[in-house]
Each structure stands twice: as structure tokens, then as C-alpha cells.
Amino acid sequence: KDLGLQITLAFERLLDAFLSVVPAALVLLTATLVGVLTGLLLRTLLRLALRLRRKARGDEPSSSRQILRAAGLKADPERVVGTVSFWTAVVVALAVGVNALEPGALRDVLSEAVAFLPRLLGAVLLAIVGLGVGALVRRSVLLGAVNAGLPWARAGARAAYVLVVTSFVAAALDHLGVGRSILVA
């Protein structure tokens, strides 16, 4: 009889705990949905504005397009801006939604995951910039070495590219908190 009562009380506590999380989970879900919808709207508006600006300027190539091409990215600036704005809105909405959760392990884990996202996005941005700078350095070294008639032009250009990209990847890892001593070494 005592065991049955304990089991019943345990299930009641479990049900109470579950029911206390449901409203906060609904707030998190609603905030995420609002973030996605806001991100889609923001992405659409920014893409439209940039396309209208490009049409108003005519056929002259934009500097942002040239920078993206030099960095080795084939995407249009409209697409890059739209994607960044979408994911920014989603991350902000997730941060708001996670703050609505009741204190506890779930909130702590989700808070840490959401807090990690900006660092992750920053590290990805560092890596992408590193690829772009590496491509520019590779072209510059290759052109300079070829014009100087050096036999090691391609190898030197590749070595310069690897050195620059490695430095930026190390900075990205340091930004993530992985291998903090890499830059010192």
C-alpha cells in the first residue's frame, strides 16, 4: 500500500513538472516561429531593396559583388545579406524564447547553446574572410612571382594561401574558445 502511494506521488510530481514546462515551451516555440517569420520578412525586404538599388545603378558591377568574387564566393550580395539577416533574427528570437523558460537544467543548456551561436557565427565569418584574404594573397603572390620570372610562383602562392587561411582558422578556433594557445604559439 505504501509503495503504491509513493508511485502515485512520483507520477503526480512528474506530471506537475511536465505541466510547468509546457507554457514556457510554448513561449519558446512561439518566439522561434516569430523569429523565423521576421527573418523571412527581413530577408525578402533586404533582397528587394538591394535588387532595386542594383537596377537603379544599371549594369556597372558593385564593389560588394567584386569583393565577394575576390573572396571566392559565387553568391550575390543580396543573397548573402538576406541569409545573414534571416539567421540573425532567428538567433535573437531563440535568445528571447530561452529566457522565457523556467530556471532549471533545460534553460541552462539552451541558454548556453544560444549564447554559443554568436561565437559560432563570428568564427564562421572569420573563416570566410580568411578564405577571401587568402585568395587575394594567393593571386598577388602568383602575379608578382610570375612577373618576376621566379620558378616557384605556384608553390609560393599556395604556401601564402595556406599560411593566411591557417592563421584565420586559428583565430576562428580561438574565437570559439577551442585551442586558446594556438595564436600564442
Side-chain angles (χ1 to χ4, degrees), residues 98 107-117 119:
V98 166
R107 179 182 177 170
D108 293 342
V109 168
L110 288 176
S111 292
E112 287 180 27
V114 169
F116 185 72
L117 286 175
R119 288 189 309 191

Side-chain angles (χ1 to χ4, degrees), residues 25-100:
L26 287 175
V27 169
L28 175 63
L29 183 64
T30 303
T32 305
L33 182 62
V34 167
V36 168
L37 293 175
T38 303
L40 288 172
L41 179 66
L42 189 60
R43 178 177 68 184
T44 302
L45 290 175
L46 285 173
R47 280 184 176 179
L48 180 64
L50 289 174
R51 283 184 187 148
L52 290 174
R53 182 175 175 253
R54 182 175 43 153
K55 286 184 181 182
R57 295 176 86 198
D59 283 341
E60 75 182 61
S62 67
S63 59
S64 57
R65 184 179 306 274
Q66 291 172 347
I67 290 171
L68 287 175
R69 295 288 187 252
L73 294 174
K74 305 282 190 246
D76 291 332
E78 297 89 9
R79 186 171 188 175
V80 172
V81 168
T83 302
V84 168
S85 63
F86 172 78
W87 286 108
T88 301
V90 170
V91 167
V92 168
L94 279 174
V96 169
V98 166
N99 283 331

Side-chain angles (χ1 to χ4, degrees), residues 90-168:
V90 170
V91 167
V92 168
L94 279 174
V96 169
V98 166
N99 283 331
L101 293 175
E102 295 297 320
L106 179 62
R107 179 182 177 170
D108 293 342
V109 168
L110 288 176
S111 292
E112 287 180 27
V114 169
F116 185 72
L117 286 175
R119 288 189 309 191
L120 181 63
L121 291 174
V124 168
L125 182 64
L126 269 171
I128 289 172
V129 168
L131 290 172
V133 170
L136 291 172
V137 167
R138 180 181 61 214
R139 287 181 187 161
S140 299
V141 169
L142 183 62
L143 285 173
V146 167
N147 288 339
L150 299 174
W152 49 267
R154 286 189 189 272
R158 285 187 192 126
Y161 176 78
V162 168
L163 182 66
V164 169
V165 170
T166 303
S167 298
F168 274 89

Side-chain angles (χ1 to χ4, degrees), residues 166-167 169-175 178-185:
T166 303
S167 298
V169 168
L173 288 173
D174 182 62
H175 186 71
V178 177
R180 292 242 180 232
S181 61
I182 290 175
L183 289 177
V184 175

